[in-house]
Amino acid sequence: MLQFITHKNEKYDYLSSGIEALKGGCRWIQLRMKDIPEEIVIETALQLKKYCQEYNATLIIDDHVQAVLESGADGVHLGKNDAPPSEARKILGEKYIIGGTANTFEDIEHLIKEGVDYIGLGPFRYTETKKNLSPILGIDGYKKILSACQEKGYTTPIVAIGGIGRNDIPEIMSTGVAGIAMSGSILRAENPQAETQLIINLINKYRNEQVSNRR
């Protein structure tokens, strides 16, 4: 599964970046608008939700729990310094998706206890989209953490995030992650829609190989 995280550059704003990913086949969009007033986040989410409905895609909002309720989004993604997932659950209820950010195995254990539906684990490498970057994991970090999760029998989906490019996908998928979250590398491509489709095909290829190998 590919999760696209909205981004802004000289060619695309937060809304148009999400639309490009949707047109490229992505069916999971996280609206991430750091340091933007909540009313503008809600306004953008309302517009993006219409496109997500058209493409039968999931819309997650980064940080803003209340914006999820006001925009009709499908859930929220909470960073390590945001509200605890258990508090968000009390506000949103069971029908909404709640994701959380992790950098260590201990973070993952905490988030599982908090009842998240999925975990974004990273960063894989340095990324300009994060101001306060946690320690970089690299492939070895993913292998170690995913192995520990398997030993514990944890089944909460883990998505790799942070400075990931298309060429990194085979090795990252081999660690056992459920999906990949990407942003800047897609928008920097000459054709973001085509790049999105290439990435989805790669993820699906290695996901299918994982399933075959387990049989």
Side-chain angles (χ1 to χ4, degrees):
M1 176 182 66
L2 172 66
Q3 295 187 5
F4 178 78
I5 300 174
T6 63
H7 187 48
K8 185 178 181 182
N9 63 15
E10 64 279 356
K11 288 180 68 176
Y12 303 99
D13 59 17
Y14 298 106
L15 176 61
S16 61
S17 71
I19 294 170
E20 285 293 300
L22 287 168
K23 288 182 176 179
C26 184
R27 296 298 175 257
W28 184 294
I29 308 292
Q30 182 189 133
L31 178 62
R32 186 175 189 271
M33 300 174 68
K34 287 292 184 186
D35 305 318
I36 302 291
E38 188 170 58
E39 60 267 24
I40 298 177
V41 174
I42 293 169
E43 180 182 326
T44 307
L46 284 166
Q47 296 177 73
L48 190 52
K49 178 64 180 176
K50 293 177 183 177
Y51 288 94
C52 286
Q53 287 175 327
E54 179 183 341
Y55 287 94
N56 195 27
T58 297
L59 175 61
I60 303 293
I61 298 178
D62 187 59
D63 295 352
H64 299 275
V65 176
Q66 194 60 39
V68 173
L69 294 174
E70 296 193 31
S71 67
D74 299 291
V76 67
H77 184 91
L78 299 168
K80 294 177 74 171
N81 298 318
D82 296 328
S86 55
E87 283 188 20
R89 184 68 71 193
K90 290 176 184 176
I91 296 168
L92 296 175
E94 293 299 323
K95 70 175 184 176
Y96 288 90
I97 299 165
I98 297 178
T101 295
N103 178 245
T104 65
F105 178 68
E106 289 72 24
D107 290 341
I108 287 175
E109 290 202 299
H110 173 71
L111 288 171
I112 289 172
K113 289 175 184 174
E114 284 278 305
V116 297
D117 297 296
Y118 75 93
I119 294 167
L121 177 64
F124 173 66
R125 68 160 61 89
Y126 174 78
T127 171
E128 293 179 356
T129 62
K130 290 278 189 181
K131 288 184 178 178
N132 301 311
L133 202 64
S134 297
I136 292 166
L137 295 177
I139 283 295
D140 288 342
Y142 279 96
K143 287 179 179 177
K144 182 178 178 181
I145 292 172
L146 268 294
S147 177
C149 288
Q150 289 163 5
E151 286 178 14
K152 286 277 192 172
Y154 296 147
T155 57
T156 302
I158 294 175
V159 177
I161 185 171
I164 298 170
R166 192 204 318 157
N167 293 336
D168 301 313
I169 289 172
E171 198 169 18
I172 294 175
M173 289 299 295
S174 74
T175 66
V177 297
I180 306 279
M182 299 177 72
S183 180
S185 62
I186 287 176
L187 286 194
R188 287 192 296 270
E190 186 175 338
N191 185 333
Q193 292 182 35
E195 183 71 10
T196 300
Q197 190 58 64
L198 281 171
I199 287 165
I200 291 169
N201 291 342
L202 259 181
I203 292 172
N204 289 340
K205 175 186 175 183
Y206 287 96
R207 191 84 178 116
N208 292 338
E209 285 183 3
Q210 286 175 344
V211 172
S212 297
N213 290 336
R214 286 197 293 265
R215 287 174 181 166

PDB file of all heavy atoms in Angstrom, residues 179-198:
ATOM      1  N   GLY A 179       3.516  -1.211   4.082  1.00  0.00           N
ATOM      2  CA  GLY A 179       3.400  -0.221   3.027  1.00  0.00           C
ATOM      3  C   GLY A 179       4.477   0.837   3.128  1.00  0.00           C
ATOM      4  O   GLY A 179       5.337   0.796   4.000  1.00  0.00           O
ATOM      5  N   ILE A 180       4.391   1.796   2.209  1.00  0.00           N
ATOM      6  CA  ILE A 180       5.377   2.868   2.104  1.00  0.00           C
ATOM      7  C   ILE A 180       4.631   4.197   2.061  1.00  0.00           C
ATOM      8  O   ILE A 180       3.649   4.338   1.330  1.00  0.00           O
ATOM      9  CB  ILE A 180       6.206   2.738   0.807  1.00  0.00           C
ATOM     10  CG1 ILE A 180       6.844   1.351   0.696  1.00  0.00           C
ATOM     11  CG2 ILE A 180       7.241   3.851   0.706  1.00  0.00           C
ATOM     12  CD1 ILE A 180       8.100   1.134   1.460  1.00  0.00           C
ATOM     13  N   ALA A 181       5.114   5.167   2.833  1.00  0.00           N
ATOM     14  CA  ALA A 181       4.575   6.531   2.765  1.00  0.00           C
ATOM     15  C   ALA A 181       5.583   7.414   2.057  1.00  0.00           C
ATOM     16  O   ALA A 181       6.778   7.379   2.377  1.00  0.00           O
ATOM     17  CB  ALA A 181       4.288   7.063   4.161  1.00  0.00           C
ATOM     18  N   MET A 182       5.117   8.198   1.084  1.00  0.00           N
ATOM     19  CA  MET A 182       6.019   9.031   0.289  1.00  0.00           C
ATOM     20  C   MET A 182       5.400  10.394   0.040  1.00  0.00           C
ATOM     21  O   MET A 182       4.186  10.566   0.118  1.00  0.00           O
ATOM     22  CB  MET A 182       6.349   8.341  -1.041  1.00  0.00           C
ATOM     23  CG  MET A 182       7.057   7.010  -0.864  1.00  0.00           C
ATOM     24  SD  MET A 182       7.393   6.135  -2.409  1.00  0.00           S
ATOM     25  CE  MET A 182       8.715   7.136  -3.094  1.00  0.00           C
ATOM     26  N   SER A 183       6.268  11.350  -0.269  1.00  0.00           N
ATOM     27  CA  SER A 183       5.805  12.707  -0.500  1.00  0.00           C
ATOM     28  C   SER A 183       6.670  13.393  -1.548  1.00  0.00           C
ATOM     29  O   SER A 183       6.365  13.389  -2.724  1.00  0.00           O
ATOM     30  CB  SER A 183       5.832  13.494   0.814  1.00  0.00           C
ATOM     31  OG  SER A 183       5.379  14.812   0.630  1.00  0.00           O
ATOM     32  N   GLY A 184       7.797  13.962  -1.099  1.00  0.00           N
ATOM     33  CA  GLY A 184       8.622  14.793  -1.971  1.00  0.00           C
ATOM     34  C   GLY A 184       9.136  14.097  -3.204  1.00  0.00           C
ATOM     35  O   GLY A 184       9.194  14.698  -4.283  1.00  0.00           O
ATOM     36  N   SER A 185       9.530  12.829  -3.093  1.00  0.00           N
ATOM     37  CA  SER A 185      10.108  12.135  -4.251  1.00  0.00           C
ATOM     38  C   SER A 185       9.089  11.985  -5.378  1.00  0.00           C
ATOM     39  O   SER A 185       9.455  11.948  -6.552  1.00  0.00           O
ATOM     40  CB  SER A 185      10.652  10.767  -3.844  1.00  0.00           C
ATOM     41  OG  SER A 185       9.633   9.941  -3.346  1.00  0.00           O
ATOM     42  N   ILE A 186       7.817  11.897  -5.031  1.00  0.00           N
ATOM     43  CA  ILE A 186       6.775  11.830  -6.059  1.00  0.00           C
ATOM     44  C   ILE A 186       6.585  13.197  -6.713  1.00  0.00           C
ATOM     45  O   ILE A 186       6.532  13.320  -7.937  1.00  0.00           O
ATOM     46  CB  ILE A 186       5.447  11.322  -5.459  1.00  0.00           C
ATOM     47  CG1 ILE A 186       5.557   9.819  -5.157  1.00  0.00           C
ATOM     48  CG2 ILE A 186       4.271  11.602  -6.399  1.00  0.00           C
ATOM     49  CD1 ILE A 186       4.345   9.226  -4.489  1.00  0.00           C
ATOM     50  N   LEU A 187       6.520  14.240  -5.913  1.00  0.00           N
ATOM     51  CA  LEU A 187       6.274  15.574  -6.461  1.00  0.00           C
ATOM     52  C   LEU A 187       7.464  16.108  -7.261  1.00  0.00           C
ATOM     53  O   LEU A 187       7.292  16.944  -8.141  1.00  0.00           O
ATOM     54  CB  LEU A 187       5.937  16.561  -5.339  1.00  0.00           C
ATOM     55  CG  LEU A 187       4.558  16.454  -4.710  1.00  0.00           C
ATOM     56  CD1 LEU A 187       4.271  17.689  -3.881  1.00  0.00           C
ATOM     57  CD2 LEU A 187       3.462  16.278  -5.754  1.00  0.00           C
ATOM     58  N   ARG A 188       8.666  15.631  -6.942  1.00  0.00           N
ATOM     59  CA  ARG A 188       9.844  16.076  -7.694  1.00  0.00           C
ATOM     60  C   ARG A 188       9.968  15.383  -9.050  1.00  0.00           C
ATOM     61  O   ARG A 188      10.757  15.813  -9.904  1.00  0.00           O
ATOM     62  CB  ARG A 188      11.110  15.825  -6.873  1.00  0.00           C
ATOM     63  CG  ARG A 188      11.297  16.763  -5.699  1.00  0.00           C
ATOM     64  CD  ARG A 188      12.685  16.651  -5.110  1.00  0.00           C
ATOM     65  NE  ARG A 188      12.942  15.336  -4.540  1.00  0.00           N
ATOM     66  CZ  ARG A 188      12.691  15.003  -3.274  1.00  0.00           C
ATOM     67  NH1 ARG A 188      12.174  15.893  -2.452  1.00  0.00           N
ATOM     68  NH2 ARG A 188      12.959  13.786  -2.832  1.00  0.00           N
ATOM     69  N   ALA A 189       9.200  14.337  -9.257  1.00  0.00           N
ATOM     70  CA  ALA A 189       9.261  13.609 -10.531  1.00  0.00           C
ATOM     71  C   ALA A 189       8.714  14.480 -11.663  1.00  0.00           C
ATOM     72  O   ALA A 189       7.888  15.363 -11.451  1.00  0.00           O
ATOM     73  CB  ALA A 189       8.449  12.317 -10.435  1.00  0.00           C
ATOM     74  N   GLU A 190       9.198  14.213 -12.872  1.00  0.00           N
ATOM     75  CA  GLU A 190       8.729  14.972 -14.038  1.00  0.00           C
ATOM     76  C   GLU A 190       7.234  14.791 -14.236  1.00  0.00           C
ATOM     77  O   GLU A 190       6.527  15.732 -14.601  1.00  0.00           O
ATOM     78  CB  GLU A 190       9.484  14.507 -15.286  1.00  0.00           C
ATOM     79  CG  GLU A 190       9.189  15.330 -16.525  1.00  0.00           C
ATOM     80  CD  GLU A 190      10.046  14.924 -17.707  1.00  0.00           C
ATOM     81  OE1 GLU A 190      11.117  14.327 -17.501  1.00  0.00           O
ATOM     82  OE2 GLU A 190       9.623  15.199 -18.843  1.00  0.00           O
ATOM     83  N   ASN A 191       6.754  13.578 -13.985  1.00  0.00           N
ATOM     84  CA  ASN A 191       5.329  13.276 -14.091  1.00  0.00           C
ATOM     85  C   ASN A 191       4.887  12.570 -12.811  1.00  0.00           C
ATOM     86  O   ASN A 191       5.007  11.346 -12.693  1.00  0.00           O
ATOM     87  CB  ASN A 191       5.066  12.387 -15.309  1.00  0.00           C
ATOM     88  CG  ASN A 191       3.596  12.141 -15.551  1.00  0.00           C
ATOM     89  OD1 ASN A 191       2.779  12.173 -14.617  1.00  0.00           O
ATOM     90  ND2 ASN A 191       3.225  11.876 -16.792  1.00  0.00           N
ATOM     91  N   PRO A 192       4.381  13.318 -11.802  1.00  0.00           N
ATOM     92  CA  PRO A 192       4.009  12.716 -10.524  1.00  0.00           C
ATOM     93  C   PRO A 192       2.970  11.606 -10.639  1.00  0.00           C
ATOM     94  O   PRO A 192       3.026  10.633  -9.878  1.00  0.00           O
ATOM     95  CB  PRO A 192       3.462  13.907  -9.721  1.00  0.00           C
ATOM     96  CG  PRO A 192       4.161  15.088 -10.280  1.00  0.00           C
ATOM     97  CD  PRO A 192       4.265  14.794 -11.751  1.00  0.00           C
ATOM     98  N   GLN A 193       2.041  11.742 -11.575  1.00  0.00           N
ATOM     99  CA  GLN A 193       1.026  10.694 -11.742  1.00  0.00           C
ATOM    100  C   GLN A 193       1.665   9.385 -12.197  1.00  0.00           C
ATOM    101  O   GLN A 193       1.370   8.313 -11.654  1.00  0.00           O
ATOM    102  CB  GLN A 193      -0.032  11.143 -12.737  1.00  0.00           C
ATOM    103  CG  GLN A 193      -0.906  12.288 -12.236  1.00  0.00           C
ATOM    104  CD  GLN A 193      -1.973  12.682 -13.230  1.00  0.00           C
ATOM    105  OE1 GLN A 193      -2.519  11.846 -13.944  1.00  0.00           O
ATOM    106  NE2 GLN A 193      -2.291  13.966 -13.290  1.00  0.00           N
ATOM    107  N   ALA A 194       2.542   9.470 -13.176  1.00  0.00           N
ATOM    108  CA  ALA A 194       3.221   8.271 -13.673  1.00  0.00           C
ATOM    109  C   ALA A 194       4.131   7.684 -12.602  1.00  0.00           C
ATOM    110  O   ALA A 194       4.220   6.460 -12.448  1.00  0.00           O
ATOM    111  CB  ALA A 194       4.028   8.607 -14.929  1.00  0.00           C
ATOM    112  N   GLU A 195       4.807   8.554 -11.846  1.00  0.00           N
ATOM    113  CA  GLU A 195       5.683   8.091 -10.773  1.00  0.00           C
ATOM    114  C   GLU A 195       4.886   7.369  -9.694  1.00  0.00           C
ATOM    115  O   GLU A 195       5.313   6.327  -9.181  1.00  0.00           O
ATOM    116  CB  GLU A 195       6.434   9.286 -10.159  1.00  0.00           C
ATOM    117  CG  GLU A 195       7.429   8.922  -9.081  1.00  0.00           C
ATOM    118  CD  GLU A 195       8.666   8.207  -9.610  1.00  0.00           C
ATOM    119  OE1 GLU A 195       8.860   8.143 -10.838  1.00  0.00           O
ATOM    120  OE2 GLU A 195       9.453   7.722  -8.778  1.00  0.00           O
ATOM    121  N   THR A 196       3.728   7.906  -9.378  1.00  0.00           N
ATOM    122  CA  THR A 196       2.857   7.264  -8.389  1.00  0.00           C
ATOM    123  C   THR A 196       2.480   5.860  -8.829  1.00  0.00           C
ATOM    124  O   THR A 196       2.539   4.904  -8.039  1.00  0.00           O
ATOM    125  CB  THR A 196       1.577   8.099  -8.168  1.00  0.00           C
ATOM    126  OG1 THR A 196       1.943   9.403  -7.684  1.00  0.00           O
ATOM    127  CG2 THR A 196       0.652   7.440  -7.160  1.00  0.00           C
ATOM    128  N   GLN A 197       2.117   5.710 -10.102  1.00  0.00           N
ATOM    129  CA  GLN A 197       1.724   4.393 -10.621  1.00  0.00           C
ATOM    130  C   GLN A 197       2.887   3.415 -10.599  1.00  0.00           C
ATOM    131  O   GLN A 197       2.725   2.237 -10.241  1.00  0.00           O
ATOM    132  CB  GLN A 197       1.173   4.522 -12.042  1.00  0.00           C
ATOM    133  CG  GLN A 197       0.529   3.252 -12.562  1.00  0.00           C
ATOM    134  CD  GLN A 197      -0.619   2.780 -11.687  1.00  0.00           C
ATOM    135  OE1 GLN A 197      -1.627   3.465 -11.567  1.00  0.00           O
ATOM    136  NE2 GLN A 197      -0.478   1.625 -11.040  1.00  0.00           N
ATOM    137  N   LEU A 198       4.076   3.876 -10.953  1.00  0.00           N
ATOM    138  CA  LEU A 198       5.266   3.023 -10.907  1.00  0.00           C
ATOM    139  C   LEU A 198       5.532   2.525  -9.489  1.00  0.00           C
ATOM    140  O   LEU A 198       5.847   1.352  -9.267  1.00  0.00           O
ATOM    141  CB  LEU A 198       6.489   3.797 -11.411  1.00  0.00           C
ATOM    142  CG  LEU A 198       6.663   3.946 -12.916  1.00  0.00           C
ATOM    143  CD1 LEU A 198       7.786   4.930 -13.224  1.00  0.00           C
ATOM    144  CD2 LEU A 198       6.953   2.601 -13.570  1.00  0.00           C
TER     145      LEU A 198
END
